[in-house]
Amino acid sequence: MNSKLKEFISKYYRNWGAETISNSGSNREYYRISYSKDKTLIAVYSPNSNETKAFLHFTKVLENAEVNVPQIIYANKNDNIYLLKDLGEISLFDIISTKTTKYLTKHMLDLCKKALSQLVYIQFEAANKIDYDKAYPTSRMDMQSIMWDLNYFKYNFLKLTGIDFDERALENDFLNFTGIIMQIKPQTFVYRDFQSRNIIVNNDELGFIDYQGGRKGPNVYDLASFIYQAKAKFSDQDRANLISHYFNEVKKYISNYNRKTFKRDLKFVRLLRAMQTLGAYGYRGIVENKPHFVQSLDLGIENFIQALDDCRNELLIFPEMNKIVDEIKNKYRTKNTETDTDNVNVVRETPLLLEIYSFSYLKDDIPTHEKHGGGFVFDCRCLPNPFWKEDLKHLSGLDKNVKYYLNSKQEVNEFVNNVKNIINQAVSDYYDRGHESLMISFGCTGGKHRSVYCAERIAEIYKKSDKVKVVVKHLQRKRW
């Protein structure tokens, strides 16, 4: 954690613990801070002062317009550090990714429509008082900034993956394509990264985060970001439903909004967003070797192919872009149709059984999985031991006072966060491949405090997923 951020938090809170929040797409640091029983906030350090100023300004404007954004608790603009209200841990993506068929449930669809209604309100009303001179890195989606995105795609995807192209011809296509994007109306506040991971759901109330890159631009850009988010995997039917809902919401502000023009604009902006996203996947995945982006490359490529295919009739005047998509199809679709029996996704109707154990290294054998002997075993003896606290020694990891003590320790929160990151891949893979169960075990000296606490923390995370059925077993419980 940044030393100035530590000092800043300690200025306001005497006892606190920090859990790192994964943010693989930027250089900002995010932490969930526990500072009292069941009370948390979000601490942020950004290395970019202009980005910090933009975020704080946008937050104030949107908060004044009664949009549910993270309230600023304390901020130090000079050091680029600030503390925010914690809107919650569950994103809209977490919810919609638990669907067991290709279609959203009614509840999921209603949440998505609610998000788009809020987006229209933000674009056409809430953001009216934004000072775009404070936006970063640019105040609007002008020719320069659109070309940034297109060249990001060219240099960080096309060149890194060895796609052959005529650079001069592609540059001419990009310039003409940029001209089309700049003609799209209306121009509103563009959230820039309006997608389901950046929408928090708490008791069906929505909260909005990660809008620091906002600027003025074509309103449909945010719609494209949302409905064509590669990993969201909306069905054509659900996507059409959401597009229609967004259009009808905009009509409340622009009565003569033309549906035919709207659909054409959405096609073009979808393609721009797909290229920008592939550039990001290429840079973060290929250059920085970040697993989340490596895993997303195939989905991003398919999204780009579909986006360009959808524009074929309109893009006949862009020959090099058409040539590129044909080469990408040949290269990647051929690769992805090769048979790999170990990576076949299975359509399943039952959740994955996640068996979570706590045990004592002194009194128990290490638990083993009955079916395939696999799973994970985590040693919690490296963590602070409540046993040596007189007022905690006779309690267990299920008791509030022990939870509060361990919550307040940064090393404990880092340990749990690291465990979560390790097992996430296995949970997802086991589910997709049709395995019945996965075993996660936590051990400590007596099997009463640390192992129990960690088992319960991990269980709480996965109890929120429809993909997983969680069973927790504390092997030493009868002896407490």
Side-chain angles (χ1 to χ4, degrees), residues 183-251:
Q183 297 302 313
I184 294 176
K185 299 284 189 296
Q187 297 276 310
T188 64
F189 175 74
V190 172
Y191 195 114
R192 181 67 176 174
D193 200 16
F194 189 84
Q195 43 114 335
S196 59
R197 289 188 189 275
N198 293 331
I199 301 170
I200 303 300
V201 182
N202 196 336
N203 294 323
D204 286 356
E205 289 301 311
L206 306 184
F208 300 89
I209 60 173
D210 215 14
Y211 42 78
Q212 60 280 330
R215 62 199 68 173
K216 197 156 194 175
N219 66 306
V220 287
Y221 187 92
D222 284 338
L223 174 63
S225 300
F226 185 80
I227 62 173
Y228 295 112
Q229 179 191 355
K231 283 201 165 184
K233 297 180 183 178
F234 290 122
S235 68
D236 290 342
Q237 177 180 309
D238 288 333
R239 191 176 286 128
N241 197 334
L242 293 172
I243 290 171
S244 179
H245 177 79
Y246 177 86
F247 177 82
N248 291 332
E249 290 293 292
V250 175
K251 289 272 285 184

Side-chain angles (χ1 to χ4, degrees), residues 428-441:
S428 178
D429 184 70
Y430 273 42
Y431 180 88
D432 289 342
R433 289 165 58 185
H435 289 318
E436 292 181 15
S437 58
L438 175 65
M439 184 173 181
I440 315 290
S441 298

Side-chain angles (χ1 to χ4, degrees), residues 104-159:
L104 298 174
T105 65
K106 183 180 184 304
H107 177 245
M108 293 174 186
L109 190 62
D110 287 344
L111 287 175
C112 290
K113 287 181 177 180
K114 189 174 183 177
L116 290 176
S117 296
Q118 278 285 289
L119 170 62
V120 173
Y121 171 70
I122 290 170
Q123 291 178 323
F124 288 87
E125 191 166 337
N128 282 343
K129 293 186 179 180
I130 280 178
D131 178 359
Y132 287 100
D133 288 338
K134 294 180 179 176
Y136 176 83
T138 182
S139 61
R140 64 185 307 112
M141 286 180 63
D142 55 14
M143 177 169 283
Q144 183 184 53
S145 71
I146 296 170
M147 287 298 291
W148 287 344
D149 287 344
L150 297 175
N151 283 317
Y152 198 48
F153 164 74
K154 179 173 72 174
Y155 290 111
N156 292 311
F157 177 72
L158 294 182
K159 291 203 170 188

Side-chain angles (χ1 to χ4, degrees), residues 324-342:
I324 283 169
V325 81
D326 287 335
E327 183 163 343
I328 290 174
K329 279 182 182 179
N330 291 335
K331 181 171 183 176
Y332 285 95
R333 280 188 171 165
T334 300
K335 179 192 78 171
N336 289 337
T337 54
E338 294 174 357
T339 302
D340 183 353
T341 56
D342 196 40

Side-chain angles (χ1 to χ4, degrees), residues 3-249:
S3 59
K4 289 186 176 178
L5 183 55
K6 276 187 181 179
E7 184 181 339
F8 189 64
I9 298 168
S10 299
K11 178 180 176 182
Y12 300 102
Y13 303 97
R14 179 177 298 177
N15 296 312
W16 56 274
E19 174 190 355
T20 302
I21 300 175
S22 176
N23 186 48
S24 53
S26 82
N27 294 323
R28 293 181 297 279
E29 296 178 20
Y30 289 90
Y31 303 91
R32 176 165 280 107
I33 305 299
S34 302
Y35 62 93
S36 183
K37 291 182 182 179
D38 302 322
K39 291 186 178 180
T40 60
L41 54 83
I42 303 299
V44 186
Y45 165 70
S46 170
N48 190 306
S49 59
N50 289 323
E51 183 184 75
T52 297
K53 290 173 185 175
F55 174 80
L56 296 177
H57 171 65
F58 293 160
T59 298
K60 282 294 185 185
V61 172
L62 295 175
E63 185 183 356
N64 288 339
E66 298 185 348
V67 178
N68 189 22
V69 293
Q71 178 187 353
I72 302 164
I73 300 172
Y74 301 109
N76 184 329
K77 294 181 183 178
N78 294 329
D79 292 328
N80 301 321
I81 52 184
Y82 45 95
L83 307 181
L84 304 171
K85 177 183 176 182
D86 187 357
L87 297 183
E89 298 182 62
I90 306 300
S91 71
L92 181 56
F93 177 80
D94 293 330
I95 292 173
I96 64 177
S97 64
T98 63
K99 62 182 185 287
T100 54
T101 70
K102 70 176 182 176
Y103 301 107
L104 298 174
T105 65
K106 183 180 184 304
H107 177 245
M108 293 174 186
L109 190 62
D110 287 344
L111 287 175
C112 290
K113 287 181 177 180
K114 189 174 183 177
L116 290 176
S117 296
Q118 278 285 289
L119 170 62
V120 173
Y121 171 70
I122 290 170
Q123 291 178 323
F124 288 87
E125 191 166 337
N128 282 343
K129 293 186 179 180
I130 280 178
D131 178 359
Y132 287 100
D133 288 338
K134 294 180 179 176
Y136 176 83
T138 182
S139 61
R140 64 185 307 112
M141 286 180 63
D142 55 14
M143 177 169 283
Q144 183 184 53
S145 71
I146 296 170
M147 287 298 291
W148 287 344
D149 287 344
L150 297 175
N151 283 317
Y152 198 48
F153 164 74
K154 179 173 72 174
Y155 290 111
N156 292 311
F157 177 72
L158 294 182
K159 291 203 170 188
L160 291 181
T161 54
I163 300 297
D164 184 47
F165 62 92
D166 181 322
E167 190 147 8
R168 183 184 293 274
L170 184 62
E171 195 74 10
N172 288 335
D173 282 1
F174 280 175
L175 287 169
N176 291 330
F177 182 64
T178 298
I180 290 176
I181 299 296
M182 290 180 62
Q183 297 302 313
I184 294 176
K185 299 284 189 296
Q187 297 276 310
T188 64
F189 175 74
V190 172
Y191 195 114
R192 181 67 176 174
D193 200 16
F194 189 84
Q195 43 114 335
S196 59
R197 289 188 189 275
N198 293 331
I199 301 170
I200 303 300
V201 182
N202 196 336
N203 294 323
D204 286 356
E205 289 301 311
L206 306 184
F208 300 89
I209 60 173
D210 215 14
Y211 42 78
Q212 60 280 330
R215 62 199 68 173
K216 197 156 194 175
N219 66 306
V220 287
Y221 187 92
D222 284 338
L223 174 63
S225 300
F226 185 80
I227 62 173
Y228 295 112
Q229 179 191 355
K231 283 201 165 184
K233 297 180 183 178
F234 290 122
S235 68
D236 290 342
Q237 177 180 309
D238 288 333
R239 191 176 286 128
N241 197 334
L242 293 172
I243 290 171
S244 179
H245 177 79
Y246 177 86
F247 177 82
N248 291 332
E249 290 293 292

